[in-house]
Each structure stands twice: as structure tokens, then as C-alpha cells.
Amino acid sequence: MKTLVWIVVSVVLGSLGQVVLKLGSNKLGDVGLSLQTLPEDMLRLLKTPEIVVGLVLFGTSFLLWIKVLTQTELSYAYPMVSLGYVNVVLLSYFLLQETFTWNKLIGTAIIIIGILVINK
């Protein structure tokens, strides 16, 4: 049970990281990431608080995921990562005011059913 908690926390932090990065990217506008603009682009990224917070959330998620991998089978843990898709759909609706369509609802339900089937 303890491992399941670590999996869920890791997935939630990764999902939050995605949403926070999206908030930051909305502030940035275009990022070229060409060889000529790379130093300037990297500085812009690091000056955007949401980008930094998103990276910290991802980093924490990564560390927790390593902990998970030391405690359980990958075939049990990895399908749970799909919960991240569910979290992102919900967080995008509530925090980014993105649309929630029937297709997203059906797809989300299929993901949840798939996780339940794999882990029974």
C-alpha cells in the first residue's frame, strides 16, 4: 500500500508539473531554441517562475519514481503513470479553462478502466 501512495504522489507531481509548465509557456511566447538563440532562450526560461516551479515538480516526481522502482515491479507501477493523463485533463479544465469534451470524458474513462484491468 505504501508503494501505491508513492506512485500516486509521483504521478500527481508530474501532472502538476505539466500544467505549471504550460502556464509558464503561455507567458513566454515563442521559444526558438536554435543554436543562435539558445543562451537567450535558456535565460528566459529560468527567469519564468512557473517554468522553474514546473521543473522542481518534475524533479521531485522523478526522485519519487526512482524510489517506486526500487520497491515494486515495473509492470505494476508503470501503467499507473497513465493516471497522469487523467490528472492533466482535469487540471487543464479547472486551471487552464480548457474545454472538456465527450471524447475526453470517454478517453479518460477508458484509461481508468485499463488501469483497473491491468492491476487486478
Side-chain angles (χ1 to χ4, degrees), residues 84-102:
Y85 298 121
V86 175
N87 293 340
V88 167
V89 167
L90 294 173
L91 290 169
S92 295
Y93 174 76
F94 288 109
L95 299 178
L96 303 173
Q97 285 72 52
E98 292 184 2
T99 58
F100 193 76
T101 64
W102 279 103

Side-chain angles (χ1 to χ4, degrees), residues 57-104:
L57 289 168
F58 269 128
T60 305
S61 174
F62 166 76
L63 293 173
L64 290 175
W65 190 251
I66 296 300
K67 179 176 181 61
V68 165
L69 293 178
T70 65
Q71 295 178 349
T72 192
E73 295 178 355
L74 183 60
S75 62
Y76 168 74
Y78 198 68
M80 301 287 202
V81 174
S82 300
L83 288 173
Y85 298 121
V86 175
N87 293 340
V88 167
V89 167
L90 294 173
L91 290 169
S92 295
Y93 174 76
F94 288 109
L95 299 178
L96 303 173
Q97 285 72 52
E98 292 184 2
T99 58
F100 193 76
T101 64
W102 279 103
N103 287 346
K104 288 180 184 177

Side-chain angles (χ1 to χ4, degrees), residues 3-69:
T3 301
L4 180 60
V5 171
W6 290 122
I7 291 170
V8 170
V9 171
S10 175
V11 169
V12 168
L13 289 176
S15 304
L16 283 171
Q18 282 291 347
V19 173
V20 173
L21 285 176
K22 174 61 176 162
L23 290 169
S25 69
N26 287 345
K27 286 184 171 181
L28 285 173
D30 187 39
V31 178
L33 294 178
S34 68
L35 288 177
Q36 295 83 6
T37 64
L38 188 60
E40 178 185 321
D41 290 337
M42 293 301 291
L43 190 58
R44 282 180 53 217
L45 290 171
L46 293 173
K47 286 183 174 181
T48 306
E50 292 87 350
I51 299 295
V52 174
V53 170
L55 291 173
V56 168
L57 289 168
F58 269 128
T60 305
S61 174
F62 166 76
L63 293 173
L64 290 175
W65 190 251
I66 296 300
K67 179 176 181 61
V68 165
L69 293 178

